[in-house]
Structures are given as C-alpha cells and as structure tokens.
C-alpha cells in the first residue's frame, strides 16, 4: 500500500520508472509479411518520450494454426528478430521498458480466415458465427511449444518480458471458459483443468527462457457473458491461483469479450470498471496485479495505488489520443485524459485516434464503427 504513480519500482520482475503502463494495443500497422513498420516505431517512441513506465505491445502472432489479420506483427520465425530488436532498442534508448504480448486469435476472427480455425471445442463463436475445429491433444502440445519458441525470439529481440494474452475471448481465454471449453481430457472440464494450457505455456516459457525471464498474463476477471454464462470471477480466482502457484510474474486484470454484456473497452460512462475484482484478487494471490479498463484520471490512479495492493495501472485508449499523457500528469497538468472512449481507434488501417482523422478516412471509419461499436 501507500504507493505513488511516479516512483520507480520493480513489478513482475521488471524495473520500471513509474507505475503507469500502456496496455496491449493492436497497432494494425504491420508491414506485409508481419514486420515492424515505421508507424509502429514512431508510436512507441512517442509513448516512451511521453514517460509511459512500460509498454505492452499489441498482440503478436506466431502459431502456424492461427489466423491473424494482415496487419498483425508476426513473431513466428527467427527472421522477425532483427526488426523487433530495433523496436526494443528504440524504447530502451528512451529509458522505457517493453513487454511483448503473445496471442492466438482462436475462433474470434473479425476478418477473413487464412486457414482452418481451431478452438478448445467446436462451440460456435458468438462474435462471427464460426464453428471452429477442436484442437487435438497433439495440437495443444504444439501450441505450447510455439508459445515457447515465440518467447525465445522475444527474449533474443530484447523484450523485457512477455505477456500471454489470456483475455477478451482469444484462444487462451476460450480455454478458461466453461462455455467454450467442453473438453473432457486434461485440458478441460473443471476450472483447474481449464487453466492447464495457460500453466503449461508459462512453464514452457520459463523452461526455455530461464526462470528469471518475466512472464506475465492478461486475463479476464469475468467474460461478463450474457445471462451470466461462461467464465466468471470464481473461475478467474481458480485460474489466477494456479498461475500464482506456477510462478507467473504479474497478472493484468481485464474483463469482457466482444460478445458479452460488456466489452473490454467500455464507454466513458464506466470508470475503473475492473477495480473491485482486482482488489479482491490482490487478497488471494502474491503475484503483482495490474489493473486496466476505464482509468482516465490521475487522482483515481493515486487513490488506487495509495489505498490498495494493486501494483500498477495500465491504459490503452487514453494513450492513443495523448501519447504524452503520463508526462503531462507528471509535469503538473493534472486534467483528465482527453480520450472520450468512443472506440474510434479500432481501425484496421492503423490504430489512431478517431479525432485525428479527416475527410474520407474519417467517413470510412465512422461507417465501420456504426456497424459495431456505435450500434449498441
Ligand atoms: C485499438 C485497440 C486495440 C487493442 N488491442 C489489444 C491487444 O492487442 N491485446 C489486448 O490484450 N488488448 C487490446 N486492447 C484492449 C486494451 O488493452 C484495454 O484492455 C482496453 O482498451 C481497456 O483499457 P482503456 O479503457 O484504458 O482503453 C485494445 C484496445 C484498443 C482500443
């Protein structure tokens, strides 16, 4: 307790200059073939200059059996390492820290697939109506190894750690969910078995990268499924305790999917919307907890860090609108983040704040948003 935002600390095995992080934010700017673009490097340079304590990258894809978007950065081949190394060096030279998020989309595609679509079980994905093929046990073992391979590349590229994407309806969170994981083998059927894949991935990364290499996970406090189906806080506690026991270095607590009662990116009516779950989680585990979702005010951050055992705060949309927000607060301009949580930054042609778009680009993005986020 009694922590402050702008003090240095070691969190989840990483020494950081402050406790305000950038949560994973898919950049949608990868080069054809999955390389790091100048737009992405510029974004990360701006965030580093903007005093962000640690950046978690947008999710990167690596599995031969995944269907990432064409604009996703790929880390499935050693050839990716030099480009990623240039990115980590940019951040390190500016005094920042950078963790890469490793993900498998599973069945939650919002774009045309490039191959077969796999998930824990053949349950139709409510986001797109796709009925996936269930993973075989051998495919799961391959997936675990692929996570390890990707983490080895991340370490070689200079990332300060990796984060397993276990939230928001992507593959690992589908394994956690009793609604989507109907398996009857060692990978599903009880909350303890549903977390097995995540624990195996953690152990594989530690075995391959060394016990000291920081491995974090982003997971949901609840999927907030309609009619309360699926993964809820009781399951999240079981999963978090298993990961705590297995040596995870930090848990970033999020919530929701793109099909449930709440998405991970709620409107501005909602503030710090996973806070009560995160507070409860800190009482149950020793692993540091990082809180994300709807945090917009420095006073709120000070109160959370001062009054609870939550170790750090992470922000996504506010830093798209204002990459210099953390530095602004630090320098004494304490006004609220300018982001209005419109979700206009979900842009397949490149993640930028909606309010920076003009002309045809703005009209096209408005049209896209009216089909999904602004429809509700
Ligand atoms: C454009 C955009 C891309 C995102 N990409 C990712 C991602 O790659 N991985 C992830 O775990 N969360 C992703 N998120 C979710 C954010 O990390 C965060 O959990 C959510 O936006 C709530 O935080 P906020 O209120 O500070 O924006 C994304 C959010 C946005 C707006």
């Amino acid at each position: 307790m009694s922590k402050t935002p702008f003090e240095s600390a070691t969190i989840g095995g990483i020494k950081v200059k402050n406790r305000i992080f950038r949560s994973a934010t898919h950049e949608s700017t990868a080069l054809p073939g999955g390389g790091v673009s100048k737009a992405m490097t510029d974004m990360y340079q701006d965030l580093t200059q903007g005093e962000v304590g640690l950046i978690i990258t947008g999710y990167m894809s690596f599995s031969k059996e995944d269907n990432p978007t064409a604009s996703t950065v790929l880390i499935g081949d050693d050839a990716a390492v030099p480009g990623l190394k240039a990115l980590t060096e940019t951040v390190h030279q500016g005094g920042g820290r950078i963790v890469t998020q490793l993900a498998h989309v599973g069945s939650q595609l919002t774009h045309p697939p490039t191959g077969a679509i796999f998930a824990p079980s053949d349950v139709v994905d409510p986001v797109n109506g796709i009925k996936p093929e269930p993973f075989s046990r051998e495919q799961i073992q391959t997936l675990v190894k692929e996570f390890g391979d990707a983490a080895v590349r991340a370490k070689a590229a200079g990332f300060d750690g990796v984060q397993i994407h276990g939230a928001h309806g992507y593959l690992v969170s589908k394994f956690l969910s009793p609604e989507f994981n109907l398996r009857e083998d060692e990978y599903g059927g009880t909350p303890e078995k549903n977390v097995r894949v995540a624990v195996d991935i953690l152990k594989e990364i530690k075995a391959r990268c060394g016990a000291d290499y920081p491995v974090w996970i982003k997971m949901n406090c609840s999927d907030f499924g309609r009619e309360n189906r699926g993964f809820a806080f009781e399951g999240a506690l079981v999963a978090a305790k298993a990961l705590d026991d297995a040596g995870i270095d930090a848990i970033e607590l999020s919530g929701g999917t793109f099909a449930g009662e709440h998405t991970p990116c709620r409107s501005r009516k909602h503030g710090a919307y996973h806070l009560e779950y995160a507070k409860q989680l800190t009482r149950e585990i020793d692993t540091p907890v990082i809180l994300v979702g709807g945090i917009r005010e420095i006073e709120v951050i000070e109160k959370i860090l001062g009054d609870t055992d939550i170790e750090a705060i992470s922000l996504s949309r506010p830093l798209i609108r204002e990459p210099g927000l953390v530095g602004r607060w630090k320098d004494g301009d304490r006004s609220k983040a300018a982001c209005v949580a419109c979700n206009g930054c979900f842009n397949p042609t490149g993640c930028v704040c909606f309010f920076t778009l003009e002309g045809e680009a703005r009209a096209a993005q408005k049209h896209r948003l009216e089909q999904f986020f602004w429809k509700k």
Side-chain angles (χ1 to χ4, degrees):
M1 296 230 192
S2 283
K3 301 171 278 19
T4 58
F6 298 108
E7 64 192 9
S8 61
T10 298
I11 299 172
I14 304 175
K15 197 165 180 336
V16 290
K17 64 181 168 189
N18 65 51
R19 295 177 185 268
I20 309 178
F21 300 170
R22 203 291 293 260
S23 195
T25 304
H26 191 274
E27 306 82 11
S28 296
T29 55
L31 298 173
V36 174
S37 63
K38 182 172 181 310
M40 181 168 168
T41 307
D42 289 349
M43 175 192 261
Y44 284 38
Q45 194 158 31
D46 289 349
L47 289 166
T48 306
Q49 283 168 0
E51 295 288 334
V52 168
L54 177 143
I55 299 168
I56 304 169
T57 69
Y59 77 76
M60 295 189 189
S61 179
F62 52 85
S63 170
K64 291 192 180 55
E65 289 178 332
D66 194 7
N67 287 276
T69 65
S71 63
T72 300
V73 175
L74 302 180
I75 187 168
D77 194 293
D78 291 347
V81 172
L84 294 168
K85 199 167 178 18
L87 182 71
T88 63
E89 280 169 2
T90 300
V91 173
H92 289 151
Q93 278 159 14
R97 294 282 179 268
I98 181 163
V99 162
T100 189
Q101 188 183 59
L102 302 178
H104 187 301
V105 169
S107 57
Q108 193 173 255
L109 276 66
T110 49
H111 53 279
T114 48
I117 298 166
F118 293 99
S121 305
D122 60 354
V123 181
V124 170
D125 197 304
V127 165
N128 49 28
I130 289 171
K131 187 170 181 170
E133 293 178 42
F135 271 112
S136 68
R137 293 174 72 239
E138 291 69 30
Q139 281 175 306
I140 293 177
Q141 283 150 14
T142 302
L143 173 79
V144 169
K145 186 177 169 300
E146 285 177 324
F147 261 100
D149 294 340
V152 168
R153 289 181 201 114
K155 187 177 178 189
F159 285 100
D160 297 291
V162 295
Q163 183 185 61
I164 303 164
H165 192 350
H168 304 170
Y170 292 100
L171 183 69
V172 173
S173 77
K174 285 281 199 306
F175 270 96
L176 294 175
S177 165
E179 185 180 355
F180 295 99
N181 183 351
L182 307 181
R183 302 180 71 92
E184 292 178 347
D185 59 8
E186 65 269 46
Y187 298 108
T190 64
E192 292 76 15
K193 289 182 178 177
N194 294 355
V195 70
R196 166 91 187 253
V197 160
V199 169
D200 284 0
I201 292 168
L202 164 64
K203 288 181 177 165
E204 175 77 11
I205 298 175
K206 289 283 186 185
R208 304 274 303 281
C209 294
D212 291 344
Y213 191 60
V215 184
W216 297 6
I217 192 166
K218 183 172 187 176
M219 58 175 278
N220 278 355
C221 56
S222 168
D223 285 357
F224 302 113
R226 293 187 192 275
E227 294 148 25
N228 272 333
R229 283 179 293 152
F231 187 69
F233 192 54
E234 302 75 55
L237 279 180
V238 173
K241 282 181 191 170
L243 289 157
D244 182 42
D245 287 345
I248 198 87
D249 293 289
I251 295 180
E252 185 185 13
L253 200 66
S254 187
T257 71
F258 293 96
E261 208 64 58
H262 295 298
T263 79
C265 310
R266 297 194 204 177
S267 74
R268 66 174 143 177
K269 283 189 301 205
H270 304 263
Y273 38 83
H274 305 125
L275 174 60
E276 291 310 313
Y277 298 98
K279 280 190 338 202
Q280 213 170 315
L281 185 59
T282 61
R283 290 184 212 116
E284 303 283 341
I285 59 172
D286 296 325
T287 303
V289 174
I290 301 162
L291 174 67
V292 64
I295 300 157
R296 303 282 177 270
E297 287 141 323
I298 187 64
E299 292 80 6
V300 171
I301 296 175
E302 285 170 342
K303 188 154 174 43
I304 293 170
L305 293 174
D307 295 355
T308 78
D309 286 323
I310 294 165
E311 286 286 342
I313 294 300
S314 57
L315 314 171
S316 169
R317 292 166 292 176
L319 294 171
I320 299 170
R321 173 107 188 217
E322 291 177 272
L325 176 62
V326 180
R328 164 161 89 65
W329 280 336
K330 187 175 168 214
D331 291 344
D333 177 352
R334 291 164 60 89
S335 52
K336 187 177 176 174
C339 171
V340 294
C342 71
N343 288 321
C345 43
F346 275 101
N347 189 334
T349 66
C351 170
V352 290
C353 178
F354 179 76
F355 293 97
T356 62
L357 296 174
E358 289 173 358
E360 279 179 27
R362 188 173 175 122
Q365 176 64 347
K366 184 165 176 281
H367 178 72
R368 272 186 221 111
L369 293 162
E370 280 164 353
Q371 310 303 306
F372 185 69
F373 278 113
W374 296 355
K375 197 164 86 180
K376 299 191 171 184

